[in-house]
Amino acid sequence: HSNINHDLTPDSVYRYSRHLLLPSFGVQGQSNLLKSSILVIGAGGLGSPALLYLAACGVGRLGIVDHDVVELNNMHRQVIHTEAYIGQPKVKSAAATCRSSSDKEVFSRINSTIQIVEYQEALRTSNALEILSQYDIVVDATDNAPSRYMISDCCVVLGKPLVSGAALGLEGQLSIYNYNGGPCYRCLFPTPPPTSACQRCSDSGVLGVVPGIIGCLQALEAIKIAGAVGEPLSGRMLLFDALSARIRIVKIRGRSSQCEVCGENSAFTQQQFKNFDYEKFTQAPLSTLPVKLNL
Amino acid sequence: HSNINHDLTPDSVYRYSRHLLLPSFGVQGQSNLLKSSILVIGAGGLGSPALLYLAACGVGRLGIVDHDVVELNNMHRQVIHTEAYIGQPKVKSAAATCRSSSDKEVFSRINSTIQIVEYQEALRTSNALEILSQYDIVVDATDNAPSRYMISDCCVVLGKPLVSGAALGLEGQLSIYNYNGGPCYRCLFPTPPPTSACQRCSDSGVLGVVPGIIGCLQALEAIKIAGAVGEPLSGRMLLFDALSARIRIVKIRGRSSQCEVCGENSAFTQQQFKNFDYEKFTQAPLSTLPVKLNL
Amino acid sequence: MQLTLEFGGGLELLCESVKIHKVNVDPPNGTEKFIMKDLLSWVRTNLIKERPEMFMKEDSVRPGVLVLVNDCDWELSGQLDTTLEDKDVVVFISTLHGG
Amino acid sequence: MQLTLEFGGGLELLCESVKIHKVNVDPPNGTEKFIMKDLLSWVRTNLIKERPEMFMKEDSVRPGVLVLVNDCDWELSGQLDTTLEDKDVVVFISTLHGG
Ligand SMILES: [Zn+2]
Ligand SMILES: [Zn+2]
């Protein structure tokens, strides 16, 4: 292994040595990772493990978007947050766990050597282009249908690969959109589902470790794209059923020439994106208040 | 949902509300979890995510066994540890992340309401019976062959289910042993492999998020057993290939009547366990020093 | 002809929370082929116990439902015209949005 | 007869790091069946490029290797006597110990 040309510092060589030893990842994969930038939208059930592993593995710049605050009923699955941060913004809590944070905390955390950028705001058509354009890869870790359409459309107009995960109840789903000529979210789902089919974790519940598994898989797929290794899960979808411990990886359709956003004759521009009403399109709000549980 | 008999405190109802909402988990599953005890052996790449999710989900008593100290080259995958704990015992670091820890730290962490028991020692035949006997479920998150045989044998003589995970390079494996009449580790692997076939992460490397995924799946299977829900992965094995994003769940043999430890005619007693030399049996040490990487 | 039908992502709630159904179906009178269009109406009649509008819209599945024939998106095999064969596995899964 | 052979858990290193091999094999002279015992010697002759002792021990696989025929442990189908059929998938995987 000696005498390979690389630009890793001695500290990085030591920190990431288990990656450097891998013939199929190695110095080149780690070097690619350190130069990459990844945006994670949502610091909840999916975003928590995704952020932990993306920070740990050495992504050069990691962005976190979330407008929410930490609540006690998040703690069963959002393992990046700590009880001390209940009531405080998730972005602050997640960033503090990933790196040496504010002056208040004298100790550093998982990886103080990477850059973390905090966006303590809801993602909207008004700020999405500006934020997403600064990253190589986007991870959708949100929890509602309008956000998923908005993020996919934004990735199409900006040409960014999208690692999309979802979890509800005891099931999870995962795919990569808009990557290497593959389909976008709208190619698969041109028409939004009826609102009655769009359950949320806050309404229907979720076993905490299920988004944990899907979020880790999102981190893996983002690392594969950023590191330029392996076969990313594009044109395929992973379907996970926790209760029966069954996993299917299925082949899905390719890019649709008829797609209104990424198709051949589409003229969906940045300006049209800015003016598109995703809440009206999906008949659902970008964020809601949770229901009260009466036991 | 109202007026169901249960023994959850109002705080627990709120903290675990997303679990309580699940028809297939609900109050009964959560109540089972809160009364259960789970021992995680190894607070490294597999143990980190397993411990995070087991603490978060509300396992009543969580034991952690590890003799090692946190090193910088663990940080790429052992996301439960923080840079401040480098050089300190992994058990201390992991316990501090899971709960309100020592007097030094005034803030609490993921779940201050559960009991965490620290075993800052290597697991040996001399202490294994005493430690494992105090838990309902055992999670093998170790990194070497002699430990895997020792833990499985100990689970057989004590009648404990074993959730066993492994990860190396870009692959992972997962199964449940000694559960509900299913096979033990020795039923599958009666003869130890040659030492040349027993690579470790420290020798061969591992992509950090791969044990992340397997460790989360271990937490899930332990939660299913503890909560008494779903079909645990017994008599089946999950094989994960991260590079190609392929997962197989295969059917494996049942309990072997010829098994030297769990078989019909076996007379493997606690005393024999105590006297068994696992290092000699596998021709491998229970712990080793990592190799130096020369770049 | 025996088929295995699986429902997921919440669609199982429409069939009494049973996810896997082994069923026997036969081509409609006067035809030889059994296609996905036939299966949808068979499912609607025989398996869906409530809220059929959560499963179908007009003569296809509702938006947000993926259909997989032997682990392959039905868009790749001809959608409603896909011919089914003995022992095929058909999965109906509703896309999830939670996280 | 076409078979798909897969190697994992490090065994692929013995076959030039290729994990999936689509191969054509025929029953030995004078026999009609092709069994796992035949496949093992075929693999040893045709695919294993180095350290054959990491793959086989005597006439079976070495300890620590799981053999799966169509996603099912070969212990359940007769081990070395398992009869193979066209399009079967055989997986050889070395058990991992890392973590
Ligand atoms: Zn499209
Ligand atoms: Zn046994």
Side-chain angles (χ1 to χ4, degrees), chain C residues 36-51:
Chain C
M36 276 301 302
K37 194 181 163 92
D38 302 322
L39 181 63
L40 286 189
S41 64
W42 188 93
V43 167
R44 181 168 178 162
T45 308
N46 295 281
L47 291 184
I48 304 293
K49 303 294 177 190
E50 53 178 303
R51 289 178 292 157

PDB file of all heavy atoms in Angstrom, chain C residues 36-51:
ATOM      1  N   MET C  36     -53.310  -8.953 -16.596  1.00  0.00           N
ATOM      2  CA  MET C  36     -53.377  -8.138 -15.377  1.00  0.00           C
ATOM      3  C   MET C  36     -54.738  -7.454 -15.228  1.00  0.00           C
ATOM      4  O   MET C  36     -55.236  -7.301 -14.122  1.00  0.00           O
ATOM      5  CB  MET C  36     -52.254  -7.094 -15.374  1.00  0.00           C
ATOM      6  CG  MET C  36     -50.913  -7.603 -14.866  1.00  0.00           C
ATOM      7  SD  MET C  36     -50.950  -8.250 -13.160  1.00  0.00           S
ATOM      8  CE  MET C  36     -51.542  -6.849 -12.264  1.00  0.00           C
ATOM      9  N   LYS C  37     -55.320  -7.061 -16.358  1.00  0.00           N
ATOM     10  CA  LYS C  37     -56.649  -6.442 -16.312  1.00  0.00           C
ATOM     11  C   LYS C  37     -57.674  -7.393 -15.683  1.00  0.00           C
ATOM     12  O   LYS C  37     -58.501  -6.981 -14.863  1.00  0.00           O
ATOM     13  CB  LYS C  37     -57.067  -6.078 -17.736  1.00  0.00           C
ATOM     14  CG  LYS C  37     -58.242  -5.133 -17.861  1.00  0.00           C
ATOM     15  CD  LYS C  37     -58.531  -4.894 -19.347  1.00  0.00           C
ATOM     16  CE  LYS C  37     -59.912  -4.305 -19.538  1.00  0.00           C
ATOM     17  NZ  LYS C  37     -59.880  -2.835 -19.555  1.00  0.00           N
ATOM     18  N   ASP C  38     -57.572  -8.661 -16.046  1.00  0.00           N
ATOM     19  CA  ASP C  38     -58.448  -9.670 -15.441  1.00  0.00           C
ATOM     20  C   ASP C  38     -58.157  -9.821 -13.951  1.00  0.00           C
ATOM     21  O   ASP C  38     -59.061  -9.952 -13.124  1.00  0.00           O
ATOM     22  CB  ASP C  38     -58.247 -11.041 -16.118  1.00  0.00           C
ATOM     23  CG  ASP C  38     -58.501 -10.994 -17.617  1.00  0.00           C
ATOM     24  OD1 ASP C  38     -59.438 -10.278 -18.030  1.00  0.00           O
ATOM     25  OD2 ASP C  38     -57.755 -11.653 -18.364  1.00  0.00           O
ATOM     26  N   LEU C  39     -56.859  -9.782 -13.616  1.00  0.00           N
ATOM     27  CA  LEU C  39     -56.505  -9.970 -12.213  1.00  0.00           C
ATOM     28  C   LEU C  39     -57.038  -8.824 -11.356  1.00  0.00           C
ATOM     29  O   LEU C  39     -57.564  -9.044 -10.256  1.00  0.00           O
ATOM     30  CB  LEU C  39     -54.978 -10.090 -12.034  1.00  0.00           C
ATOM     31  CG  LEU C  39     -54.532 -10.316 -10.587  1.00  0.00           C
ATOM     32  CD1 LEU C  39     -55.054 -11.635 -10.035  1.00  0.00           C
ATOM     33  CD2 LEU C  39     -53.008 -10.271 -10.447  1.00  0.00           C
ATOM     34  N   LEU C  40     -56.931  -7.589 -11.870  1.00  0.00           N
ATOM     35  CA  LEU C  40     -57.417  -6.456 -11.077  1.00  0.00           C
ATOM     36  C   LEU C  40     -58.895  -6.603 -10.750  1.00  0.00           C
ATOM     37  O   LEU C  40     -59.308  -6.373  -9.609  1.00  0.00           O
ATOM     38  CB  LEU C  40     -57.162  -5.133 -11.814  1.00  0.00           C
ATOM     39  CG  LEU C  40     -55.708  -4.640 -11.842  1.00  0.00           C
ATOM     40  CD1 LEU C  40     -55.653  -3.229 -12.412  1.00  0.00           C
ATOM     41  CD2 LEU C  40     -55.069  -4.676 -10.462  1.00  0.00           C
ATOM     42  N   SER C  41     -59.680  -7.005 -11.739  1.00  0.00           N
ATOM     43  CA  SER C  41     -61.105  -7.111 -11.421  1.00  0.00           C
ATOM     44  C   SER C  41     -61.372  -8.322 -10.512  1.00  0.00           C
ATOM     45  O   SER C  41     -62.244  -8.259  -9.638  1.00  0.00           O
ATOM     46  CB  SER C  41     -61.965  -7.151 -12.694  1.00  0.00           C
ATOM     47  OG  SER C  41     -61.680  -8.297 -13.428  1.00  0.00           O
ATOM     48  N   TRP C  42     -60.566  -9.377 -10.669  1.00  0.00           N
ATOM     49  CA  TRP C  42     -60.693 -10.527  -9.760  1.00  0.00           C
ATOM     50  C   TRP C  42     -60.375 -10.101  -8.322  1.00  0.00           C
ATOM     51  O   TRP C  42     -61.102 -10.432  -7.381  1.00  0.00           O
ATOM     52  CB  TRP C  42     -59.747 -11.656 -10.212  1.00  0.00           C
ATOM     53  CG  TRP C  42     -59.960 -12.928  -9.444  1.00  0.00           C
ATOM     54  CD1 TRP C  42     -60.767 -13.967  -9.803  1.00  0.00           C
ATOM     55  CD2 TRP C  42     -59.395 -13.283  -8.180  1.00  0.00           C
ATOM     56  NE1 TRP C  42     -60.747 -14.939  -8.843  1.00  0.00           N
ATOM     57  CE2 TRP C  42     -59.908 -14.556  -7.829  1.00  0.00           C
ATOM     58  CE3 TRP C  42     -58.516 -12.657  -7.292  1.00  0.00           C
ATOM     59  CZ2 TRP C  42     -59.561 -15.221  -6.652  1.00  0.00           C
ATOM     60  CZ3 TRP C  42     -58.169 -13.302  -6.115  1.00  0.00           C
ATOM     61  CH2 TRP C  42     -58.696 -14.577  -5.809  1.00  0.00           C
ATOM     62  N   VAL C  43     -59.278  -9.337  -8.154  1.00  0.00           N
ATOM     63  CA  VAL C  43     -58.879  -8.888  -6.816  1.00  0.00           C
ATOM     64  C   VAL C  43     -59.962  -8.001  -6.216  1.00  0.00           C
ATOM     65  O   VAL C  43     -60.342  -8.155  -5.053  1.00  0.00           O
ATOM     66  CB  VAL C  43     -57.532  -8.127  -6.879  1.00  0.00           C
ATOM     67  CG1 VAL C  43     -57.269  -7.375  -5.581  1.00  0.00           C
ATOM     68  CG2 VAL C  43     -56.389  -9.097  -7.161  1.00  0.00           C
ATOM     69  N   ARG C  44     -60.475  -7.094  -7.034  1.00  0.00           N
ATOM     70  CA  ARG C  44     -61.487  -6.174  -6.523  1.00  0.00           C
ATOM     71  C   ARG C  44     -62.723  -6.925  -6.050  1.00  0.00           C
ATOM     72  O   ARG C  44     -63.318  -6.595  -5.028  1.00  0.00           O
ATOM     73  CB  ARG C  44     -61.858  -5.170  -7.607  1.00  0.00           C
ATOM     74  CG  ARG C  44     -62.876  -4.193  -7.106  1.00  0.00           C
ATOM     75  CD  ARG C  44     -63.051  -3.027  -8.022  1.00  0.00           C
ATOM     76  NE  ARG C  44     -64.093  -2.170  -7.469  1.00  0.00           N
ATOM     77  CZ  ARG C  44     -64.261  -0.931  -7.816  1.00  0.00           C
ATOM     78  NH1 ARG C  44     -63.462  -0.378  -8.707  1.00  0.00           N
ATOM     79  NH2 ARG C  44     -65.228  -0.216  -7.287  1.00  0.00           N
ATOM     80  N   THR C  45     -63.076  -7.963  -6.781  1.00  0.00           N
ATOM     81  CA  THR C  45     -64.263  -8.737  -6.410  1.00  0.00           C
ATOM     82  C   THR C  45     -64.011  -9.664  -5.225  1.00  0.00           C
ATOM     83  O   THR C  45     -64.852  -9.795  -4.338  1.00  0.00           O
ATOM     84  CB  THR C  45     -64.722  -9.609  -7.609  1.00  0.00           C
ATOM     85  OG1 THR C  45     -64.858  -8.769  -8.741  1.00  0.00           O
ATOM     86  CG2 THR C  45     -66.034 -10.319  -7.303  1.00  0.00           C
ATOM     87  N   ASN C  46     -62.863 -10.292  -5.223  1.00  0.00           N
ATOM     88  CA  ASN C  46     -62.643 -11.387  -4.275  1.00  0.00           C
ATOM     89  C   ASN C  46     -61.820 -11.056  -3.036  1.00  0.00           C
ATOM     90  O   ASN C  46     -61.941 -11.728  -2.020  1.00  0.00           O
ATOM     91  CB  ASN C  46     -61.979 -12.568  -4.998  1.00  0.00           C
ATOM     92  CG  ASN C  46     -62.874 -13.170  -6.045  1.00  0.00           C
ATOM     93  OD1 ASN C  46     -63.774 -13.928  -5.734  1.00  0.00           O
ATOM     94  ND2 ASN C  46     -62.663 -12.783  -7.302  1.00  0.00           N
ATOM     95  N   LEU C  47     -60.931 -10.052  -3.136  1.00  0.00           N
ATOM     96  CA  LEU C  47     -60.043  -9.807  -1.989  1.00  0.00           C
ATOM     97  C   LEU C  47     -60.299  -8.499  -1.261  1.00  0.00           C
ATOM     98  O   LEU C  47     -60.135  -8.425  -0.047  1.00  0.00           O
ATOM     99  CB  LEU C  47     -58.571  -9.849  -2.430  1.00  0.00           C
ATOM    100  CG  LEU C  47     -58.006 -11.202  -2.843  1.00  0.00           C
ATOM    101  CD1 LEU C  47     -56.514 -11.059  -3.145  1.00  0.00           C
ATOM    102  CD2 LEU C  47     -58.209 -12.250  -1.754  1.00  0.00           C
ATOM    103  N   ILE C  48     -60.653  -7.456  -2.016  1.00  0.00           N
ATOM    104  CA  ILE C  48     -60.784  -6.139  -1.397  1.00  0.00           C
ATOM    105  C   ILE C  48     -62.079  -6.098  -0.593  1.00  0.00           C
ATOM    106  O   ILE C  48     -63.173  -6.250  -1.133  1.00  0.00           O
ATOM    107  CB  ILE C  48     -60.784  -5.021  -2.469  1.00  0.00           C
ATOM    108  CG1 ILE C  48     -59.525  -5.101  -3.321  1.00  0.00           C
ATOM    109  CG2 ILE C  48     -60.932  -3.646  -1.822  1.00  0.00           C
ATOM    110  CD1 ILE C  48     -58.228  -4.789  -2.616  1.00  0.00           C
ATOM    111  N   LYS C  49     -61.915  -5.914   0.719  1.00  0.00           N
ATOM    112  CA  LYS C  49     -63.080  -5.963   1.597  1.00  0.00           C
ATOM    113  C   LYS C  49     -63.617  -4.578   1.938  1.00  0.00           C
ATOM    114  O   LYS C  49     -64.711  -4.449   2.475  1.00  0.00           O
ATOM    115  CB  LYS C  49     -62.714  -6.677   2.910  1.00  0.00           C
ATOM    116  CG  LYS C  49     -62.177  -8.087   2.723  1.00  0.00           C
ATOM    117  CD  LYS C  49     -63.231  -9.024   2.168  1.00  0.00           C
ATOM    118  CE  LYS C  49     -62.663 -10.413   1.925  1.00  0.00           C
ATOM    119  NZ  LYS C  49     -63.562 -11.280   1.191  1.00  0.00           N
ATOM    120  N   GLU C  50     -62.819  -3.543   1.722  1.00  0.00           N
ATOM    121  CA  GLU C  50     -63.282  -2.192   2.047  1.00  0.00           C
ATOM    122  C   GLU C  50     -62.570  -1.160   1.188  1.00  0.00           C
ATOM    123  O   GLU C  50     -61.527  -1.428   0.606  1.00  0.00           O
ATOM    124  CB  GLU C  50     -63.022  -1.896   3.534  1.00  0.00           C
ATOM    125  CG  GLU C  50     -61.596  -2.127   3.976  1.00  0.00           C
ATOM    126  CD  GLU C  50     -61.393  -1.782   5.441  1.00  0.00           C
ATOM    127  OE1 GLU C  50     -61.667  -0.630   5.823  1.00  0.00           O
ATOM    128  OE2 GLU C  50     -60.968  -2.664   6.203  1.00  0.00           O
ATOM    129  N   ARG C  51     -63.153   0.012   1.099  1.00  0.00           N
ATOM    130  CA  ARG C  51     -62.577   1.158   0.383  1.00  0.00           C
ATOM    131  C   ARG C  51     -61.914   0.785  -0.942  1.00  0.00           C
ATOM    132  O   ARG C  51     -60.700   0.994  -1.110  1.00  0.00           O
ATOM    133  CB  ARG C  51     -61.568   1.872   1.289  1.00  0.00           C
ATOM    134  CG  ARG C  51     -62.212   2.622   2.452  1.00  0.00           C
ATOM    135  CD  ARG C  51     -61.166   3.270   3.342  1.00  0.00           C
ATOM    136  NE  ARG C  51     -60.384   2.270   4.054  1.00  0.00           N
ATOM    137  CZ  ARG C  51     -59.172   2.457   4.552  1.00  0.00           C
ATOM    138  NH1 ARG C  51     -58.579   3.635   4.408  1.00  0.00           N
ATOM    139  NH2 ARG C  51     -58.550   1.500   5.196  1.00  0.00           N
TER     140      ARG C  51
END
